[in-house]
Amino acid sequence: MIMEKDLQQKLESFQQDVVRQGEDIVFRVFPSKSRVLSIPPLTGNRELTQLLQSMDESSSPFHPSHITGTTDPTVYPAPDLNGGAAKKRKLDEGEEKISQEIATPQVESLHPRYPELVKGNHFVTLSLHKKLKEECEVLAKLTDQVRLWVALTMPKIEDGDNFGVGVQEEVLGELHRAQEASFNLRDIPMQSYLARAKICSKLIKYPNIEDYTTALREHDQKQFFLARQHLLDIRNVYATSTDMVHKNISKIRKPKGDNSIGLY
């Protein structure tokens, strides 16, 4: 069977778009993510660089001055599930006494065992983790597009002159590691919430132990420093990926060069 001419033209057009997008990413987007360029990059691509440069400014959410005062270790009492109602309980002697209503097994099955509340750190959630997740998603998307571009430039499998193909495979491996790094960093907020939830559960169960309060504050402070470091890690991933692609761009574009001259 032979591919229809119209379908073949669409496939070739798609491959050309992939090549154009891939080269635009590695020559404009990646460098602008890792450093400030003299040429105007695509819209929003300097955002990460500007964010990293402004970390030492007091207005930045990543400035250390915002570390204190964002953690609320207070254990708030549980809401009154019975609406404050009281009931009369008759004693054996016939006397009546007002007592606070005791929760029935049916109510206990509908509500948590420890219904007290410890509020989350919304500053970490909305200002730090939100930005980290956005950058991770952008990194994963960009590296996926570049990987597709490199994969489509690989020639057909044949004997001889495969050095350029080996270079392409190394580049694909580096891009794969960059994408895996974005996936791992994307899971950091979830792991942070799970660890914080364990501390909060201990704080609710043992409110008289001050070390759990200290542990909660220390946990939130750690998220500030980790968020700064993770953004730097993302910047470094862009820098290393850009460097590797630029150094081997000739082999990526044309892996099967005319190397027969060097044999004589």
Side-chain angles (χ1 to χ4, degrees):
M1 296 182 62
I2 301 176
M3 186 182 300
E4 297 179 1
K5 186 176 181 180
D6 182 59
L7 185 59
Q8 185 175 2
Q9 291 177 351
K10 291 181 179 180
L11 181 60
E12 292 176 354
S13 176
F14 168 75
Q15 293 177 346
Q16 291 175 359
D17 291 339
V18 170
V19 171
R20 183 169 57 253
Q21 292 176 3
E23 295 206 5
D24 184 72
I25 290 173
V26 299
F27 283 103
R28 291 176 61 85
V29 183
F30 276 10
S32 65
K33 284 286 188 178
S34 59
R35 62 182 183 273
V36 177
L37 294 179
S38 58
I39 61 174
L42 299 178
T43 304
N45 289 333
R46 282 191 181 179
E47 186 176 356
L48 178 58
T49 301
Q50 293 175 348
L51 179 63
L52 294 174
Q53 292 176 340
S54 65
M55 279 186 177
D56 294 330
E57 299 177 1
S58 59
S59 59
S60 173
F62 295 89
H63 192 268
S65 61
H66 296 288
I67 294 177
T68 58
T70 60
T71 303
D72 185 5
T74 305
V75 179
Y76 293 91
D80 192 353
L81 303 177
N82 299 309
K87 69 178 181 180
K88 293 182 179 181
R89 181 168 55 89
K90 290 186 178 181
L91 302 179
D92 295 338
E93 296 79 9
E95 297 178 353
E96 293 184 352
K97 183 179 180 180
I98 301 297
S99 65
Q100 191 70 22
E101 184 176 6
I102 303 175
T104 61
Q106 291 79 7
V107 175
E108 289 182 352
S109 63
L110 297 176
H111 300 280
R113 183 178 179 183
Y114 300 100
E116 291 80 9
L117 171 65
V118 176
K119 295 183 179 180
N121 193 323
H122 300 294
F123 184 85
V124 173
T125 302
L126 300 178
S127 299
L128 305 185
H129 287 167
K130 181 180 178 181
K131 184 59 183 175
L132 177 62
K133 291 188 291 185
E134 291 176 353
E135 291 296 336
C136 289
E137 292 168 2
V138 171
L139 175 60
K141 179 181 178 181
L142 293 177
T143 52
D144 189 65
Q145 291 178 314
V146 177
R147 287 178 62 191
L148 179 60
W149 163 54
V150 177
L152 291 179
T153 58
M154 297 184 72
K156 64 180 180 180
I157 301 175
E158 58 185 3
D159 295 334
D161 195 15
N162 290 322
F163 177 75
V165 178
V167 173
Q168 288 181 321
E169 291 176 348
E170 288 293 329
V171 173
L172 286 174
E174 180 65 26
L175 293 172
H176 176 72
R177 287 187 290 271
Q179 196 172 43
E180 286 294 321
S182 68
F183 295 152
N184 294 333
L185 291 175
R186 178 61 178 79
D187 290 337
I188 294 297
M190 180 196 66
Q191 298 172 8
S192 171
Y193 299 144
L194 290 176
R196 195 178 195 276
K198 291 181 180 180
I199 300 175
C200 292
S201 64
K202 293 291 186 180
L203 188 60
I204 291 175
K205 193 173 181 181
Y206 306 105
N208 57 315
I209 301 179
E210 295 182 357
D211 286 343
Y212 286 125
T213 300
T214 305
L216 187 62
R217 289 196 177 97
E218 289 291 335
H219 176 272
D220 289 347
Q221 291 178 11
K222 180 181 177 182
Q223 300 313 307
F224 275 87
F225 295 104
L226 287 181
R228 290 166 58 99
Q229 186 58 47
H230 292 329
L231 288 178
L232 289 173
D233 292 339
I234 293 175
R235 192 277 309 274
N236 295 340
V237 169
Y238 280 120
T240 55
S241 299
T242 302
D243 183 69
M244 187 169 192
V245 173
H246 285 190
K247 287 180 177 178
N248 301 282
I249 189 62
S250 60
K251 290 297 181 182
I252 294 175
R253 289 172 173 169
K254 193 176 181 181
K256 292 274 187 185
D258 188 8
N259 296 329
S260 59
I261 300 178
L263 298 178
Y264 301 97

